[in-house]
Amino acid sequence: MLFSRFHAEGSDPEQPVLVFLHGLLGNGDDWRSCTAYLQTHTCVAVDLPGHGQSHGVWCGSFDEAVLQVRETLLAGNLSGRPVVLVGYSLGGRIAMHGVANGLFAPLDIRGLVVEGGHFGLASAGCRALRWRHDQRWARRFRREPVSTVLKDWYQQPVFTSLQATQKQHLVIQRSENRGDSVAHMLLATSLARQDDLLALLKAQPVPVHYLFGAQDRKFTRLALESGLPSTRIPEAGHNAHHEQPQVFARVLRDLIDRRILLPKSEQA
């Protein structure tokens, strides 16, 4: 069972429960600045396998990660409540895998919001390159102090929008992770092991909405090329919910209030 926490407990049972899944190296508390603006909704944040207070829980695949999230939510009495999944980066990829393959049933998933999550690599060559990339990082997380690895981790191009002080803060904050747990999760849910999910997502009935930071060039391109409904978060990079939490929350509220996040069969 994974650790989960309520960031807010809205009183309206007709409103969907918002379930937040964090990125690699994070935990459920990463969403606190965003959920502070969503007090009218019930907000649940899950610590993914190998992270936060779920650091002792490991998984071996995307299927297993999804099932661990599902069982955690069912144990939290969310069966029968409408649910909107909100996933950032790794959390978004796990959520996409589960929705695309129908693995969250019997949960009543009404919508999926993905922030900066990759749909999957199309070619075997790209997957092989990514596997070698992730293996190198995993070896470092196992062998070196986490703080040392993170100083290089946040120099990757995807984090170019972060200022030096922001990177330093993240290194300090993320150094609480256990290197072996991070390494295991990194390989178990490597992009190299992920299916190309875009066509499957478009074929299933749960609506998907993509959020991306305006300064995040890579995921701006992926979002716009995907053809999925999407929203640009201004003055933000890859981690838009952290850099612009109030704007991010406002976009979520708007998607729900305008009933965009409803299964296609229920939209008038």
Side-chain angles (χ1 to χ4, degrees):
M1 192 73 64
L2 302 175
F3 181 82
S4 63
R5 54 177 68 72
F6 283 89
H7 280 185
E9 295 193 59
S11 59
D12 186 352
E14 299 301 317
Q15 288 284 3
V17 176
L18 305 182
V19 173
F20 294 87
L21 304 179
H22 60 79
L24 188 74
L25 295 163
N27 61 60
D29 276 337
D30 291 355
W31 298 99
R32 193 169 295 280
S33 59
C34 176
T35 57
Y37 298 101
L38 295 165
Q39 295 296 318
T40 56
H41 292 272
T42 297
C43 298
V44 180
V46 178
D47 285 2
L48 293 173
H51 292 76
Q53 296 190 54
S54 300
H55 60 78
V57 182
W58 289 12
C59 72
S61 66
F62 280 98
D63 280 2
E64 191 173 347
V66 171
L67 295 180
Q68 287 172 331
V69 172
R70 185 192 72 182
E71 294 309 307
T72 299
L73 297 178
L74 289 173
N77 296 319
L78 294 189
S79 181
R81 293 285 303 275
V83 171
V84 169
L85 297 169
V86 184
Y88 163 64
S89 194
L90 170 61
R93 295 194 292 116
I94 290 172
M96 284 191 289
H97 179 87
V99 169
N101 293 286
L103 298 179
F104 283 111
L107 289 168
D108 181 13
I109 305 299
R110 298 293 183 92
L112 167 60
V113 177
V114 179
E115 176 196 359
H118 203 296
F119 301 110
L121 300 171
S123 73
C126 288
R127 288 192 292 272
L129 285 173
R130 180 61 183 234
W131 183 245
R132 290 195 291 271
H133 170 274
D134 287 349
Q135 283 182 312
R136 287 194 294 271
W137 281 112
R139 282 195 296 270
R140 291 197 62 187
F141 276 115
R142 287 194 179 106
R143 296 173 181 175
E144 302 175 38
V146 173
S147 59
T148 300
V149 183
L150 290 178
K151 289 176 183 177
D152 292 332
W153 179 267
Y154 287 112
Q155 298 307 314
Q156 295 181 94
V158 72
F159 300 114
T160 53
S161 67
L162 294 176
Q163 298 176 358
T165 54
Q166 292 174 303
K167 292 179 180 180
Q168 185 179 16
H169 174 73
L170 284 170
V171 169
I172 294 171
Q173 184 181 34
R174 303 309 195 203
S175 292
E176 297 178 358
N177 281 285
R178 299 187 180 186
D180 57 344
S181 296
V182 172
H184 185 91
M185 188 63 171
L186 176 61
L187 295 181
T189 56
S190 168
L191 189 58
R193 301 182 64 185
Q194 178 183 314
D195 295 331
D196 190 351
L197 299 171
L198 185 56
L200 288 172
L201 285 172
K202 289 182 174 180
Q204 55 79 45
V206 176
V208 181
H209 199 92
Y210 202 99
L211 303 185
F212 59 94
Q215 298 169 8
D216 186 351
R217 291 186 179 181
K218 176 179 178 179
F219 286 89
T220 294
R221 176 179 56 81
L222 286 175
L224 297 180
E225 290 178 354
S226 74
L228 291 172
S230 62
T231 299
R232 183 192 310 264
I233 306 296
E235 298 181 27
H238 186 56
N239 194 338
H241 73 268
H242 173 73
E243 297 177 56
Q244 295 291 339
Q246 187 171 6
V247 176
F248 192 96
R250 186 172 66 240
V251 170
L252 288 181
R253 287 198 309 271
D254 186 58
L255 292 173
I256 294 168
D257 292 345
R258 291 194 289 134
R259 299 178 68 79
I260 291 173
L261 292 176
L262 281 174
K264 296 169 186 175
S265 62
E266 297 184 25
Q267 293 181 12

